[in-house]
Amino acid sequence: MNLAIFASGRGSNFSAITKEIKQGKIKVKLVILVCDNPEAYVIKRALRAKVKVILVNRRDFKSRADFETAIIQRLECYKIDLIALAGFMRLLSPAFVRQYRNRIMNIHPSLLPAFKGAHAIEDAFNRKSSSTGVTVHFIDEKVDHGPIILQEEIEIRRSDTLTSLEKKIHAVEHKLYPQAIKLFLQGKVRIRRRRVSVSTL
Ligand code: GAR
């Protein structure tokens, strides 16, 4: 099986996944990193891990359709079976989603459907919510939406600061995302009528 990771920023989830692949805990070939931001730190991580980087800058394309066609051509060329969005801060079009239906995972730093959007951790913290969490799901045509694979709740304590909450959330992400990918590759993630069932046996 061939995996592509899509990321736009820091890349801590990229590294968490790469680490488990290197340790032989996830049996997949991480073939490419697709990155839309030439400044992203994740590029350095990929080069260090000897993963091929495909840089697709949206500004170099006239339309989103052209931008996505360029990505799809690369995915086909590398025979990608699974895409893991790891902090990829761009919405993929319905046409792209249809082409890779139930093969595009995303990680989101909240217990979806709560706190959708690009500032989920801050929003939960500022709302003084008593808990938040992490969700790994397949994407569909809507934003931060689609069949949920794994979720974990995280308590927000009164003593938490935004920084301590971010730290807790990232620690859970780095455990949950490799776990979801592993379950998928083992054929333990089944989808029927847009609902996921996960067998942990
Ligand atoms: C992660 O917290 C991920 O959940 C979030 O971006 C961060 C990327 O961190 N994704 C979203 O908010 C998607 N809606 P990383 O670059 O260190 O992996």
Side-chain angles (χ1 to χ4, degrees):
M1 286 270 223
N2 289 335
L3 171 70
I5 296 182
F6 285 28
S8 309
R10 196 170 59 124
S12 68
N13 280 284
F14 171 90
S15 288
I17 297 164
T18 319
K19 191 173 158 199
E20 298 218 3
I21 294 172
K22 220 171 160 191
Q23 291 171 342
K25 292 182 186 163
I26 304 179
K27 308 241 178 295
V28 74
K29 192 157 183 244
L30 174 53
V31 186
I32 45 170
L33 165 75
V34 174
C35 182
D36 63 325
N37 171 13
E39 310 291 324
Y41 187 69
V42 68
I43 296 175
K44 287 204 176 77
R45 293 183 192 257
L47 295 176
R48 240 185 276 141
K50 300 196 170 27
V51 174
K52 192 176 176 63
V53 177
I54 310 260
L55 187 61
V56 271
N57 194 336
R58 173 66 182 84
R59 286 192 201 147
D60 297 338
F61 299 89
K62 268 201 208 136
S63 64
R64 178 164 81 165
D66 289 351
F67 168 72
E68 290 189 348
T69 301
I71 298 177
I72 288 171
Q73 278 169 354
R74 297 302 189 96
L75 297 177
E76 284 173 354
C77 164
Y78 289 100
K79 302 199 184 325
I80 297 302
D81 303 293
L82 176 67
I83 299 167
L85 306 182
F88 186 67
M89 294 315 206
R90 239 165 230 294
L91 295 178
L92 294 167
S93 70
F96 192 107
V97 173
R98 271 196 297 278
Q99 191 146 343
Y100 285 89
R101 167 97 54 211
N102 297 334
R103 288 190 293 145
I104 311 174
M105 281 188 191
N106 181 44
I107 187 147
H108 186 77
S110 79
L111 270 194
L112 288 175
F115 303 115
K116 294 178 180 178
H119 308 286
I121 305 179
E122 243 179 296
D123 291 346
F125 183 77
N126 291 338
R127 208 70 70 74
K128 303 212 182 319
S129 174
S130 60
S131 72
T132 181
V134 170
T135 302
V136 181
H137 65 105
F138 289 113
I139 66 163
D140 66 11
E141 289 82 351
K142 297 183 202 155
V143 179
D144 292 329
H145 191 268
I148 290 171
I149 304 163
L150 292 176
Q151 276 189 316
E152 188 168 319
E153 191 169 2
I154 296 164
E155 187 187 353
I156 307 180
R157 299 193 174 181
R158 283 192 182 185
S159 57
D160 270 320
T161 60
L162 181 56
T163 309
S164 70
L165 180 61
E166 280 169 347
K167 234 175 158 182
K168 283 201 283 189
I169 288 182
H170 289 134
V172 171
E173 287 189 334
H174 300 161
K175 179 191 70 171
L176 219 61
Y177 213 178
Q179 194 185 340
I181 294 172
K182 195 167 153 186
L183 288 166
F184 176 87
L185 295 168
Q186 291 171 336
K188 291 179 174 173
V189 177
R190 299 234 164 77
I191 305 147
R192 270 190 77 208
R193 295 196 192 101
R194 303 214 169 188
R195 274 186 174 266
V196 173
S197 64
V198 179
S199 136
T200 46
L201 294 176

